[in-house]
Amino acid sequence: MPMKLDTVLTGKAVAFTRPGSCSAIAKQARSGELAVTELGLAGDEQGDLRVHGGKDKAIHHYPREHYATWAAELGEHPLLQAAGAFGENLSTYGWTEQTVCLGDRVRVGSAVLEVSQGRMPCWKLNDRFGVKDMSLRVQQSGRTGWYYRVLEEGVLAAGDTLQVIERLHPHWSVARLSSVLFDKQVDADVIRQCLALPLAPSWRRTLDRRLERAEVEDWAPRLQGPQI
């Protein structure tokens, strides 16, 4: 079903919590129209372009309904009082990882976006929330949100309608695909099914390596980050 874009957020990259680190996770709500380019929203930045941003992770969408669940688990955390806690660019009620599918093409404003992958959470969520295993909690819960690539540039604004205009892979929700990426077991048949999909290059490399090595990579560097 179509839904309203409740909040649009962008942020500038600044020094973060650990020596040498940088992040734009602390995004702020924006009003009025924003340009949408192949690299994301005008005025938005990423702190580490090796793992964030780029054409396949141009815009991050996080379901606002997850906030109530997080508050029940974490308590009334101050970050959960307004959209932007997870560094998202788009905040809505209505779509979740279970209802959005890989490759969904979405019109919002005059732009057309395509769901490119789910989020693989990293240690910066631990530091942002002050919860040492927050990134692992996000991963295990499946409440990761998802990324878009930009198919048609344009403009968007809070209050615009989001509409799925094409669904290419109805059997592969973001939740289902992420469950494969976050599985500690190597199921070769399921991985081969995933590799038949138009995966983002980083996810394809990850699954190719699992097939080749018959083992799952070490998640600790991503989830725990550099030691202080």
Side-chain angles (χ1 to χ4, degrees):
M1 295 292 293
M3 65 175 183
K4 186 181 77 169
L5 176 55
D6 292 299
T7 311
V8 180
L9 306 103
T10 64
K12 296 294 185 181
V14 297
F16 200 51
T17 53
R18 306 192 192 185
S21 68
C22 187
S23 180
I25 197 171
K27 299 187 187 300
Q28 301 298 315
R30 298 284 299 274
S31 60
E33 291 188 335
L34 288 181
V36 182
T37 75
E38 66 176 3
L39 293 179
L41 301 178
D44 196 41
E45 296 180 354
Q46 296 80 35
D48 186 349
L49 292 175
R50 298 172 304 164
V51 292
H52 297 292
K55 294 181 181 180
D56 289 317
K57 292 187 282 189
I59 296 174
H60 184 245
H61 187 154
Y62 198 81
R64 185 68 188 277
E65 51 262 59
H66 290 339
Y67 278 48
T69 307
W70 285 118
E73 295 179 6
L74 301 176
E76 293 299 323
H77 197 290
L79 285 175
L80 299 174
Q81 301 305 307
F86 294 86
E88 63 265 38
N89 298 116
L90 307 183
S91 178
T92 61
Y93 288 95
W95 291 355
T96 69
E97 296 82 358
Q98 285 72 34
T99 58
V100 170
C101 295
L102 179 73
D104 278 1
R105 292 179 176 174
V106 176
R107 183 175 297 281
V108 53
S110 60
V112 176
L113 314 178
E114 182 179 74
V115 176
S116 55
Q117 64 183 82
R119 180 181 188 168
M120 298 187 80
C122 77
W123 62 270
K124 290 181 178 178
L125 287 172
N126 304 342
D127 291 12
R128 176 158 171 76
F129 277 83
V131 176
K132 66 179 182 180
D133 63 344
M134 188 65 187
S135 59
L136 180 60
R137 289 176 183 231
V138 170
Q139 177 169 301
Q140 291 178 334
S141 70
R143 300 191 295 267
T144 63
W146 56 89
Y147 287 105
Y148 296 108
R149 61 174 62 92
V150 177
L151 297 186
E152 294 181 17
E153 297 183 342
V155 295
L156 58 72
D160 284 346
T161 297
L162 291 97
Q163 172 73 60
V164 175
I165 58 174
E166 191 171 7
R167 172 154 286 178
L168 303 175
H169 305 285
H171 301 298
W172 283 97
S173 67
V174 170
R176 183 184 180 196
L177 188 56
S178 294
S179 72
V180 178
L181 267 290
F182 300 147
D183 191 348
K184 272 295 188 182
Q185 305 301 314
V186 177
D187 186 326
D189 289 338
V190 172
I191 289 176
R192 290 190 185 98
Q193 291 178 46
C194 290
L195 288 171
L197 299 167
L199 299 178
S202 61
W203 283 38
R204 183 171 298 279
R205 287 192 298 270
T206 294
L207 292 180
D208 277 334
R209 284 196 298 268
R210 288 187 192 177
L211 273 185
E212 178 184 348
R213 301 174 183 177
E215 65 180 12
V216 175
E217 66 281 359
D218 180 13
W219 295 335
R222 171 171 58 84
L223 294 174
Q224 299 173 13
Q227 298 304 304
I228 299 176

